């Protein structure tokens, strides 16, 4: 196993839930509901604060991201927080399994950085240690901080042939193209320095060796705030979705770039099936919600948010229609607080926060900066997917209503108890962390449904298998999750992939690797952390050691 700190065992106990050893009876079931009637129910979140703020004037009205990744190889997600005009902070996660969430600030090259808008974890050099792509507004350009282990870093920007300039960068995504040892990178820029004109975006490809070539422009640019490489049509090719802020353009729109190995990027047009969509595009989230294997796409905006679905999934044409109203996730106005003006949405994230086997949806909210036509009291949404595929608001029942203007976020299991916690980055207010107590209380947490968490590993390059699909089957129910780097709003995650199982005490798992090779189905027991190595004998249980 390439990562340090991993302990492989046959059976473990996590958060008081005894996990069955090999050979025990597994009830796969239909995955249609969580245990104890928890299907579609809200978990209880206990909110606390971290001593970090995202500060700044107009140059930091957007951005404000958090990166979650394991920088000390113990399996727990650590936190890197953008500071804007304030300094960045790196927090080491010192929590224990199922215990209180605890973090200690770390001093390293990743801390004390200024003009940072966000960050995305990515193992650029495939050495088994996660690196950080740090996005900045000016300051000499974006950074690549190479992970050295134990939460230490070195600046690898210049050595990779990157860096320089004063672009206002808020968006990022990455993928691996065939034949390259380094990933292909996409950077999304907002306004040109000292203007109100939209800057262009850039695609950066390896030069065939251990450095990057000159950036390829992705023009026209329309003030991009989120980028996402995704195999949207399951062709094996990962195209680049772009969310753009219509506040600064007249004739632009949301974009989808065709990115094919060895070819210059090409913008999809109406002739290809792409439909012009003009929104205040802030963030992108992608997830297969209906089990057909093709991801739906959520795009945050001001007022009306969009949930897009392909007209004909197997048609190879990017023709999307909106289903946000049908699924009840338009989120046009605040749901509490008395403010009836339109909302401003930022970071979207699909995740199963109640372990009922259905992806829920977190959408952060917050006024740009005292915009009089938009809500000032605009709390973050926690949409809980119901058995019929619609969503209901669960933030109030979860106890996580806040009125600070929120930007980036993360949804991750911070104390490895099988329940997903949340991290919310606010403008000019302390970061808040929500510990998921399940159906219990702060004094007595209670599990909700069963779960799996998986980590993939394959030989270099792309050791974390970015671009793979994890498929989990319980009875006739299939969940397909694409491993991506990008999307959200200035916030990225790397680590365990969480899957809720509902009432099923076991499941079948397989991986479609980034090059299209598909592994065999493997029966596994629920409530386990599993490492899947390409070419290995099958999923192996991991335990905190």
């Amino acid at each position: 196993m390439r990562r340090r700190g991993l302990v492989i065992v046959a059976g473990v106990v996590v958060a008081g839930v005894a996990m069955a050893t090999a050979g025990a009876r597994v009830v796969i079931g239909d995955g249609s509901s969580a245990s104890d009637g928890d299907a579609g129910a809200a978990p209880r979140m206990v909110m606390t604060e971290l001593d970090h703020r995202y500060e700044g004037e107009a140059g930091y009205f957007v951005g404000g991201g958090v990166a979650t990744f394991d920088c000390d190889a113990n399996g727990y997600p650590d936190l890197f927080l953008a500071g804007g005009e304030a300094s960045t902070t790196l927090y080491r996660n010192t929590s224990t399994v199922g215990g209180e969430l605890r973090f200690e600030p770390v001093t390293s090259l990743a801390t004390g950085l200024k003009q940072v808008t966000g960050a995305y974890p990515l193992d650029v050099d495939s050495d088994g240690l996660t690196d950080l792509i740090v996005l900045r507004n000016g300051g000499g350009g974006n950074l690549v901080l190479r992970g050295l282990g134990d939460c230490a870093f070195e600046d690898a920007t210049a050595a990779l042939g990157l860096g320089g300039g004063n672009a206002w960068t808020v968006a990022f995504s990455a993928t691996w193209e065939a034949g390259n040892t380094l990933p292909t990178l996409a950077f999304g820029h907002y306004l040109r320095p000292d203007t109100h004109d939209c800057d262009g975006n850039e695609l950066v490809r390896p030069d065939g060796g251990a450095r990057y070539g000159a950036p390829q422009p992705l023009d026209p640019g329309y003030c991009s705030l989120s980028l996402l490489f995704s195999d949207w049509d399951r062709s094996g090719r990962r195209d680049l979705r772009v969310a753009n802020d219509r506040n600064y353009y007249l004739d632009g729109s949301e974009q989808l770039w065709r990115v094919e190995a060895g070819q210059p990027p090409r913008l999809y047009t109406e002739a290809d099936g792409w439909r012009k969509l003009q929104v205040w595009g802030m963030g992108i989230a992608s997830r297969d919600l209906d089990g057909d294997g093709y991801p739906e796409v959520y795009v945050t905006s001001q007022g009306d948010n969009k949930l897009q679905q392909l007209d004909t999934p197997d048609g190879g044409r990017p023709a999307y229609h909106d289903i946000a109203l049908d699924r009840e996730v338009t989120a046009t106005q605040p749901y509490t607080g008395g403010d009836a003006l339109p909302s401003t949405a930022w970071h979207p994230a699909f995740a199963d926060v109640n372990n009922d086997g259905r992806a829920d949806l977190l959408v952060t909210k917050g006024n740009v900066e005292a915009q009089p036509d938009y809500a000032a009291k605009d709390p973050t949404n926690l949409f809980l997917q119901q058995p019929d595929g619609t969503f209901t608001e669960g933030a109030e029942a979860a106890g996580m209503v806040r009125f600070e203007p929120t930007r980036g976020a993360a949804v991750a299991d911070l104390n490895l108890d099988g329940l997903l916690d949340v991290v919310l980055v606010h403008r000019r207010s302390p970061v808040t962390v929500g510990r998921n107590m399940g159906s219990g209380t702060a004094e007595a947490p209670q599990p909700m449904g069963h779960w799996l968490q998986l980590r993939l590993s394959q030989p270099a390059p792309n050791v974390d298998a970015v671009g793979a699909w994890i498929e989990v089957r319980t009875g006739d129910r299939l969940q397909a999750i694409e491993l991506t780097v990008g999307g959200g709003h200035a916030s990225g995650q790397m680590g365990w992939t969480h899957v809720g199982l509902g009432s099923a005490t076991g499941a079948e798992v397989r991986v479609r690797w980034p090059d299209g090779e598909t592994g065999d189905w493997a029966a596994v027991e629920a409530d386990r952390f599993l490492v899947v190595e390409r070419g290995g004998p099958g999923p192996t249980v991991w335990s905190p050691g």
Side-chain angles (χ1 to χ4, degrees), residues 203-462:
L203 185 75
V204 188
R205 283 170 156 157
D207 64 3
R211 289 173 58 87
Y212 284 95
Q216 296 176 267
L218 297 174
D219 290 329
Y222 296 117
C223 291
S224 302
L225 288 173
S226 189
L227 306 176
L228 182 64
F229 278 110
S230 173
D231 184 5
W232 59 273
D233 62 352
R234 302 303 297 266
S235 65
R237 183 192 63 257
R238 288 142 197 112
D239 293 330
L240 183 66
R241 183 93 181 220
V242 186
N244 296 312
D245 184 359
R246 69 173 294 178
N247 189 67
Y248 294 101
Y249 67 75
L250 296 175
D251 58 350
S253 69
E254 300 292 281
Q255 296 169 309
L256 182 66
W257 289 87
R258 185 181 179 97
V259 180
E260 197 159 7
Q263 301 294 323
R266 178 179 71 83
L267 193 62
Y268 283 94
T269 67
E270 292 183 14
D272 302 305
W274 183 251
R275 292 168 180 153
K276 190 172 185 177
L277 176 65
Q278 294 181 317
V279 295
W280 289 265
M282 310 290 202
I284 304 170
S286 177
R287 185 71 171 253
D288 175 20
L289 298 177
D290 56 9
D292 66 354
Y294 295 86
E296 279 67 46
V297 181
Y298 194 80
V299 181
T300 55
S301 179
Q302 289 188 294
D304 187 21
N305 299 283
K306 303 296 183 183
L307 179 60
Q308 294 193 303
Q309 184 179 63
L310 281 170
D311 286 358
T312 307
D314 59 356
R317 289 170 58 82
Y320 285 86
H321 61 277
D322 186 48
I323 59 171
L325 186 61
D326 292 340
R327 295 297 184 98
E328 302 181 29
V329 287
T330 54
T332 56
Q333 294 175 305
Y335 53 88
T336 191
D339 200 326
L341 291 173
S343 282
T344 303
W346 298 91
H347 181 92
F350 286 110
D352 188 353
V353 297
N354 54 14
N355 286 338
D356 68 354
R358 298 177 181 83
D360 306 306
L361 176 61
L362 177 81
V363 181
T364 67
K365 296 283 190 69
N367 197 292
V368 173
E369 182 73 5
Q371 285 191 334
D373 295 331
Y374 292 90
K377 298 177 71 175
D378 199 4
T380 288
N381 297 98
L382 182 64
F383 289 113
L384 303 170
Q385 189 176 173
Q386 302 301 303
D388 65 358
T390 63
F391 291 77
T392 60
E393 179 58 58
E396 284 188 285
M400 57 181 290
V401 173
R402 315 274 300 200
F403 293 107
E404 303 96 328
T406 309
R407 295 296 189 263
V411 186
D413 184 358
L414 298 175
N415 61 354
L416 304 187
D417 63 353
L419 293 166
L420 291 173
D421 311 297
V422 298
V423 181
L424 304 175
V425 181
H426 312 293
R427 270 184 51 76
R428 297 187 173 128
S429 294
V431 168
T432 53
V433 178
R435 179 187 172 195
N436 191 334
M437 314 305 292
S439 58
T441 64
E443 295 75 25
Q446 293 292 328
M448 296 181 78
H450 295 288
W451 53 271
L452 291 172
Q453 298 196 54
L454 300 101
R455 178 183 290 167
L456 306 187
S457 175
Q458 68 174 10
N462 189 14

Side-chain angles (χ1 to χ4, degrees), residues 8-14 17-26 413 416-418 449-455 496-499 501 504-507 509 523-531 539-544:
I8 307 299
V9 298
V12 299
V13 175
V14 173
V17 179
M19 298 182 185
T21 57
R25 181 174 180 270
V26 175
D413 184 358
L416 304 187
D417 63 353
H450 295 288
W451 53 271
L452 291 172
Q453 298 196 54
L454 300 101
R455 178 183 290 167
W496 299 107
T497 297
H498 174 277
V499 186
L501 299 181
T505 60
V509 173
V524 298
E525 297 172 43
D527 306 328
R528 291 181 176 231
F529 293 87
L530 300 173
V531 177
T540 311
V541 178
W542 175 90
S543 175

Side-chain angles (χ1 to χ4, degrees), residues 99-275:
E100 294 183 4
L101 301 182
R102 300 181 182 276
F103 300 92
E104 294 180 356
V106 176
T107 300
S108 78
L109 190 65
T111 59
L113 301 172
K114 298 292 185 70
Q115 296 175 265
V116 173
T117 60
Y120 289 80
L122 175 69
D123 191 349
V124 176
D125 55 7
S126 293
D127 66 350
L129 298 171
T130 305
D131 313 311
L132 269 179
I133 308 295
V134 179
L135 309 182
R136 295 202 288 183
N137 181 1
N142 305 310
L143 301 173
V144 179
L145 301 184
R146 181 173 180 265
L148 301 177
D150 198 28
C151 299
F153 298 87
E154 66 179 9
D155 189 349
T157 314
L160 290 168
L162 298 171
N166 286 292
W168 183 353
T169 309
V170 186
F172 175 80
S173 191
T175 188
W176 260 266
E177 295 183 272
N180 291 331
T181 58
L182 294 174
T184 294
L185 312 177
F187 293 91
H189 306 312
Y190 198 49
L191 294 171
R192 297 185 186 276
D194 303 317
T195 75
H196 285 85
D197 300 324
C198 291
D199 204 347
N201 300 326
E202 295 176 327
L203 185 75
V204 188
R205 283 170 156 157
D207 64 3
R211 289 173 58 87
Y212 284 95
Q216 296 176 267
L218 297 174
D219 290 329
Y222 296 117
C223 291
S224 302
L225 288 173
S226 189
L227 306 176
L228 182 64
F229 278 110
S230 173
D231 184 5
W232 59 273
D233 62 352
R234 302 303 297 266
S235 65
R237 183 192 63 257
R238 288 142 197 112
D239 293 330
L240 183 66
R241 183 93 181 220
V242 186
N244 296 312
D245 184 359
R246 69 173 294 178
N247 189 67
Y248 294 101
Y249 67 75
L250 296 175
D251 58 350
S253 69
E254 300 292 281
Q255 296 169 309
L256 182 66
W257 289 87
R258 185 181 179 97
V259 180
E260 197 159 7
Q263 301 294 323
R266 178 179 71 83
L267 193 62
Y268 283 94
T269 67
E270 292 183 14
D272 302 305
W274 183 251
R275 292 168 180 153

